[in-house]
Structure formats: C-alpha cells, structure tokens
C-alpha cells in the first residue's frame, strides 16, 4: 500500500462521556479519490470526521495525514453545522477569504495573490457573480458551494464535508458532486458524509459504511451489499436493495434518517 499521500486511520477508538462512539476504524484513502461515508444517525460519521480533523481527542489509534506535513491548511473541513453566523454581515467573498487566513495564518498580510485565488475559487463553484451578496441571502446549495470555495482557498490536499447535501435540492447536489469530482481528478482526497444513498456508484469512487465501526469499505457496487445494509440499518434496510441477474445490488430509494 502506498501511504505517501492521503489519509491512513489505524485502530481508531473514540470515547465520549465514557461511551465508545467509534472502535475498530481502519482505512487508507490515497490521492485522487472521492469517498462517500454512509451510515445511520448516531453511527459516528461526524465523530470520525472530528477525530480526523483533530477537533475531537482520540482515545486510541492513529490518524496519519500523508503528504501535508508542515503545510498550513493541508486539511479543509466543512462541518455539518458551519460556524458562520448567518446574521453576521459577511459577504460570499469574505467567507471564502477566510480560507486564505487558514492557509496563511491570521497575522499574515493578504495580498494580490490571495485575492486572485479567492476569485478563482469562486469561479470554480460558479459564484463569482454573487461575491458581494451576504451569505444569508444565498440558498442552501449556494452556501454549500461557498464553503467548498473556502476549503479550496485553503489549498488543502484533503477535503472533508459532513452532510453537504442537507437542505440542498437534487439539482444543487449534482452541481456540488461535479465540483468535488473535479477536485478528485486533480489528485485531492475528498470525503463526503451523506444520508442520501441514491446514485452511489455514479457519485463516488469508494464508500465507507460505518455504524460505530467500519462495516465495509470499497467500490460502491462491491461494498454496499444487502448484508451490509442490514448491519447498517437493521432488517428494514433490506427492502431498499435487490440483486439483479447481473449480480449487482441496486438501491431503489432513499434511506430515511432513523
């Protein structure tokens, strides 16, 4: 296994208030991969992201971020509930510029290069024309693209997004996926936690199925089996999958948040 770049998580255990929220979490993600993280509510998706990002203490195990040692902003994290106060009069441009401060440090001087990078990032997510709009004036999908642009402005090689589809319509979801696939094609590691199980094979290169531990990890058509569905969601999860004559498992609808 080539661990020169990407993420390696080994024997990760995380406890919260004496409760073992995660255990036996092992995976490696190399560069140029878009990975979906799926599982029911309370399965530990956000906990795992917080632990990888260094926000939550690790009880046991190891998280290695390869190829970004000493690089400011090497990992960019868009949490489920972003800490931006939507009532604060920050513009789209201001929010993306925050990514440059993450890259440079709060006391570094912002210059022409940084402004050019912010413009490029907003162009990539299709929001340069809305740069002067207040963040609260944007739709859910537009806000998510703003936060992705902020992550891009950090020049991060690893990008994690927790429930980026929450409150976002299907059309906006596809726009987000297209941006993330472009980042994948540039060699970045992109992880996206989601409850939406539709079109997994079309959207993601790999999926991590988690329910406090890793139930499966691999290409969607191989990892997302009826047995894994049952381990994730219980017996009612099986009604959402059926096996065709070609031997592939097909998902028919969305999994409700349970």
């Amino acid at each position: 296994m080539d661990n020169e770049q990407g993420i390696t998580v080994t024997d990760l255990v995380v406890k919260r208030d004496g409760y073992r929220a995660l255990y036996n979490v092992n995976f490696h993600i190399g560069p140029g991969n878009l990975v979906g993280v799926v599982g029911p509510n309370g399965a530990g998706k956000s906990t795992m992201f917080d632990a990888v990002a260094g926000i939550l203490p690790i009880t046991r195990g190891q998280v290695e971020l390869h190829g970004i040692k000493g690089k400011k902003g090497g990992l960019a994290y868009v949490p489920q509930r972003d800490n931006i106060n939507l009532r604060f009069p920050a513009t789209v441009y201001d929010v993306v510029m925050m990514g440059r401060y993450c890259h440079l440090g709060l006391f570094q001087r912002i210059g022409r290069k940084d402004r050019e990078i912010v413009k490029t990032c907003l162009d990539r997510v299709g929001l340069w024309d809305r740069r002067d709009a207040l963040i609260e004036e944007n739709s859910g999908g537009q806000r998510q693209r703003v936060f992705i642009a902020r992550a891009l402005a950090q020049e991060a090689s690893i990008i994690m997004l927790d429930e980026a589809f929450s409150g976002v319509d299907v059309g906006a979801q596809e726009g987000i996926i297209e941006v993330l696939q472009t980042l994948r094609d540039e060699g970045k590691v992109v992880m996206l936690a989601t409850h939406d199980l539709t079109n997994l094979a079309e959207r993601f290169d790999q999926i991590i199925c988690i329910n406090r531990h890793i139930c499966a990890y691999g290409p969607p058509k191989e990892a997302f089996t009826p047995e894994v569905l049952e381990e994730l969601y219980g017996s009612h999860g099986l009604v959402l999958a059926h096996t065709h004559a070609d031997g592939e498992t097909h998902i028919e609808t969305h999994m409700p948040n349970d």
Side-chain angles (χ1 to χ4, degrees):
M1 180 185 297
D2 181 5
N3 289 348
E4 291 303 314
Q5 292 183 316
I7 306 175
T8 300
V9 175
T10 307
D11 297 329
L12 181 67
V13 176
V14 177
K15 289 185 178 180
R16 291 184 127 168
D17 301 322
Y19 171 73
R20 194 169 62 165
L22 286 176
Y23 64 95
N24 194 28
V25 175
N26 295 274
F27 61 85
H28 172 76
I29 305 173
N33 273 289
L34 174 54
V35 180
V37 180
V38 300
N41 282 345
K45 298 186 296 294
S46 296
T47 297
M48 184 177 75
F49 276 20
D50 287 349
V52 170
I55 297 171
L56 192 64
I58 294 171
T59 304
R60 190 171 71 245
Q62 190 172 17
V63 175
E64 299 174 89
L65 307 179
H66 305 283
I68 65 171
K69 185 176 181 181
K71 239 184 179 181
K72 295 177 182 177
L75 184 148
Y77 181 24
V78 180
Q80 186 171 354
R81 294 175 179 83
D82 199 275
N83 57 9
I84 293 292
N85 182 348
L86 296 180
R87 295 183 179 179
F88 186 78
T91 66
V92 166
Y93 187 93
D94 294 333
V95 172
V96 178
M97 183 59 78
M98 291 177 189
R100 294 308 299 160
Y101 286 111
C102 290
H103 179 76
L104 297 171
L106 288 175
F107 301 105
Q108 296 293 318
R109 188 179 182 89
I110 294 296
R112 177 180 176 182
K113 177 183 176 181
D114 303 294
R115 291 187 287 271
E116 290 174 350
I117 288 173
V118 169
K119 182 182 186 305
T120 298
C121 294
L122 281 169
D123 278 335
R124 292 193 65 174
V125 300
L127 289 177
W128 175 247
D129 289 344
R130 294 193 60 77
R131 61 190 178 278
D132 295 325
L134 296 177
I135 189 67
E136 67 175 358
E137 296 172 346
N138 291 274
S139 67
Q142 288 171 329
R143 288 174 193 166
Q144 287 295 352
R145 283 190 283 154
V146 171
F147 297 140
I148 291 171
R150 183 184 61 187
L152 294 179
Q154 289 181 230
E155 298 186 74
S157 57
I158 299 171
I159 300 173
M160 301 191 306
L161 305 99
D162 192 1
E163 296 296 345
F165 293 158
S166 179
V168 176
D169 62 40
V170 174
Q173 287 183 22
E174 293 306 317
I176 291 171
I177 284 292
E178 288 177 6
V179 172
L180 299 182
Q181 288 173 337
T182 299
L183 298 177
R184 179 269 319 275
D185 293 343
E186 294 173 358
K188 298 184 186 297
V189 172
V190 184
M191 299 179 70
L192 170 63
T194 179
H195 279 293
D196 191 341
L197 305 184
T198 56
N199 300 321
L200 289 178
E202 289 75 21
R203 289 178 169 181
F204 301 108
D205 305 305
Q206 313 281 334
I207 58 170
I208 292 175
C209 301
I210 186 170
N211 195 355
R212 297 179 54 221
H213 68 282
I214 302 298
C215 304
Y217 172 43
K221 291 181 180 180
E222 297 177 13
F224 214 53
T225 64
E227 292 77 18
V228 171
L229 266 172
E230 184 171 17
E231 188 174 1
L232 291 175
Y233 303 106
S235 58
H236 67 283
L238 291 176
V239 302
L240 297 178
H242 63 281
T243 302
H244 282 189
D246 58 10
E248 294 184 357
T249 299
H250 297 257
I251 307 303
E252 294 187 328
T253 186
H254 294 207
M255 173 63 65
N257 294 348
D258 53 2

